[in-house]
Every structure is written in C-alpha cells, then in structure tokens.
C-alpha cells in the first residue's frame, strides 16, 4: 500500500466520521502544541526514552476538552478549525501529518471512538510493559520471535527478560548499532527485510510510524502486526489495524 492510498483513505474515513457526528463544515477551534518531556511522560525511573533524549517530541491537540497526542520528529503549533486540519496535505508534509494525527486522536477520543490518546506517565511505561507481557503470554507461545519496531526501552527490556526471542529496529542513528537492554538495535531500513520477513513471527510496531510515514512498510504483511502507543489510537479503529496499548490505565 502506498502512502497516498493509506493517508487518502484515512482522511476520507475521518471525514465520514465528522459527517456522521454533524461536525462537517462546523467552525470548531482546535489547539495543538508541543509538550515538554516532563509534560509528556512525567519522571519515569528510566531516562533512556527517546522523548527524554530530545530526538522526537510529543505534540498535543485539544478538542472540546479531549486530548490527543502524537509522537513526532516534525512538531508544529497550530490554532485553527477542523476544516483547516482536513485541508492539510498529510501525504507530503510531515508537520501537517503530525498535526492531523494529534487532532484526529483528540476528536476520536471526544466522540468515544477510541481511548488511550494520552501517553502513560512516570511509572506508567513500566506498568504498560508488564501488561504487554501478560497479553503476549496469554495470546502467543513464550518462544515467539518478536520484531520490536521502534526503540521503546521498557518494552525491549521486558521482551528480553521474559524469554522472547527479540530483535529491534530503529531509525535514530544514536540508537542504531548500540546494545540496549541486552539487544543490538538494528537499522530500520538496512535490516528491515531480514528482521521483518525472515526472523519475526509477529511484529510489535510503534504507532509513531503513522507520523513518520513508515507505517506503510508494516501493512499488508503475511504475519500479524500489533501496533502500540497513543499516536495510532485514532487511526487504528478507522483503518482496521490491531492496537495493543494500556495507556488509558496510566495516563
């Protein structure tokens, strides 16, 4: 699936939701801004989360009191209407895409069509990792080979310590080639084919791929892909993607 097809379908389906809820054409104000690391994730015990290293940031949209977040390397502030958001070019402009995703999450949350649109904070990432462990052990054999797409230290440590066979892909040069939590972080482009197509039984993929555009590399695969995180909270139900996330319990 191409980016044009995926994001075009996402915009169309969101437009249908707005029409069904009577929001099409309504001049509804939306505010969006970048969060500081402490606002986004609190003060977790671990200090190696990407957001704390300053590589990516969390932006947050507010719609009628509901919050929606998106983890992105292309942050932008915005104050405007839903009509303006719907007119954005989310295929070619990464700033517009991240704004659209944050707003989508806030609106979908306000309409009760998704949950977990705000990142878990402080002890939350560690608790979420344990919830993910319980989910994986309940649904998959303990010897499953898992590809973790996106360096998420709590999840990576849990997978390694729980006896899963795990390989991790990331696009951040600061992480690639480093051993983190006992696992070598591999180049998300160079090692993609080997890890995704030949190693993995299932793929645990960060939802922030919907912001950086690489999500299309994890669609229509002949193996199960589980997306995690707040960024993909609104997109997952609209696009029929499987999301496993426990942020709503710890945000």
């Amino acid at each position: 699936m191409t980016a044009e097809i995926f994001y075009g379908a996402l915009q169309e389906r969101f437009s249908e939701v707005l029409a069904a809820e009577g929001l099409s054409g309504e001049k509804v104000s939306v505010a969006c801004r970048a969060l500081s690391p402490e606002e986004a994730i609190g003060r977790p015990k671990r200090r190696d989360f990407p957001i704390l290293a300053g590589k990516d940031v969390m932006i947050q949209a507010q719609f009628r009191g509901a919050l929606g977040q998106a983890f992105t390397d292309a942050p932008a502030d915005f104050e405007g209407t839903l009509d303006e958001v719907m007119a954005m070019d989310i295929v070619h402009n990464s700033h517009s895409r991240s704004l659209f995703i944050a707003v989508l999450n806030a609106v979908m949350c306000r309409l009760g069509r998704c949950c977990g649109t705000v990142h878990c904070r402080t002890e939350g990432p560690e608790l979420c990792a344990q919830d993910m462990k319980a989910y994986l052990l309940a649904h998959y054999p303990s010897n499953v080979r898992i590809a973790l797409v996106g360096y998420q230290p709590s999840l990576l440590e849990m997978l390694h310590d729980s006896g899963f066979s795990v390989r991790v892909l990331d696009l951040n040069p600061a992480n690639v080639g480093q051993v983190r939590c006992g696992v070598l972080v591999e180049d998300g482009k160079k090692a993609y084919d080997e890890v995704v197509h030949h190693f993995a039984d299932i793929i645990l993929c960060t939802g922030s791929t919907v912001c950086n555009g690489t999500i299309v590399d994890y669609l229509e695969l002949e193996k199960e892909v589980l997306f995690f995180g707040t960024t993909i909270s609104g997109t997952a139900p609209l696009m029929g993607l499987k999301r496993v996330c426990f942020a709503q319990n710890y945000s």
Side-chain angles (χ1 to χ4, degrees):
M1 183 181 294
T2 66
E4 287 79 6
I5 291 175
F6 177 81
Y7 290 111
L10 180 60
Q11 282 182 307
E12 182 177 350
R13 294 178 189 183
F14 187 37
S15 179
E16 290 171 355
V17 168
L18 298 181
E21 298 287 347
L23 294 175
S24 291
E26 186 175 344
K27 296 294 184 180
V28 179
S29 179
V30 177
C32 189
R33 67 182 181 89
L35 301 180
S36 69
E38 185 170 338
E39 285 180 301
I41 200 172
R43 291 183 173 273
K45 183 187 303 183
R46 305 187 63 101
R47 305 303 296 171
D48 52 350
F49 286 92
I51 195 170
L52 297 176
K55 171 65 177 175
D56 294 340
V57 301
M58 188 78 75
I59 62 172
Q60 178 172 282
Q62 182 170 351
F63 174 75
R64 294 183 174 177
L67 301 177
Q69 296 180 344
F71 193 50
T72 178
D73 63 356
D77 293 339
F78 172 80
E79 178 71 38
T81 68
L82 279 179
D83 284 349
E84 291 175 288
V85 173
M86 293 304 296
M88 291 178 174
D89 177 6
I90 66 172
V91 175
H92 304 103
N93 188 306
S94 57
H95 295 280
S96 294
R97 188 187 309 133
S98 62
L99 285 171
F100 177 90
I101 294 299
V103 170
L104 166 68
N105 291 341
V107 173
M108 291 285 282
C109 177
R110 180 65 180 85
L111 298 176
R113 292 175 177 253
C114 73
C115 62
T117 60
V118 174
H119 201 286
C120 47
R121 292 167 46 81
T122 309
E123 297 179 355
E126 306 297 329
L127 297 173
C128 279
Q130 292 307 306
D131 287 340
M132 183 67 78
K133 175 183 176 180
Y135 178 90
L136 292 172
L137 291 176
H139 292 85
Y140 304 95
S142 60
N143 63 350
V144 154
R145 294 179 299 178
I146 298 178
L148 178 64
V149 178
Y151 173 61
Q152 209 281 12
S154 294
L155 284 180
L156 180 58
E157 184 175 58
M158 177 277 293
L159 292 169
H160 177 261
D161 292 350
S162 300
F164 292 101
S165 181
V166 58
R167 292 173 71 174
V168 58
L169 298 176
D170 199 70
L171 296 176
N172 185 351
N175 293 328
V176 173
Q178 303 298 311
V179 175
R180 301 288 171 85
C181 307
V183 181
L184 175 68
V185 181
E186 301 180 66
D187 189 302
K189 293 182 178 179
K190 294 179 180 179
Y192 171 86
D193 186 65
E194 162 62 22
V195 173
V196 171
H197 292 296
H198 300 290
F199 165 78
D201 293 320
I202 62 172
I203 298 165
L204 194 56
C205 183
T206 174
S208 62
T209 53
V210 77
C211 273
N212 67 24
T214 61
I215 190 170
V216 296
D217 295 331
Y218 300 96
L219 304 175
E220 302 177 325
L221 296 177
E222 294 182 356
K223 55 190 64 181
E224 190 159 26
V225 179
L226 310 177
F227 290 94
F228 66 89
T230 58
T231 305
I232 203 164
S233 55
T235 298
L238 286 179
M239 299 301 290
L241 304 176
K242 188 166 186 178
R243 175 178 177 245
V244 180
C245 189
F246 309 92
Q248 65 271 16
N249 298 329
Y250 308 110
S251 56

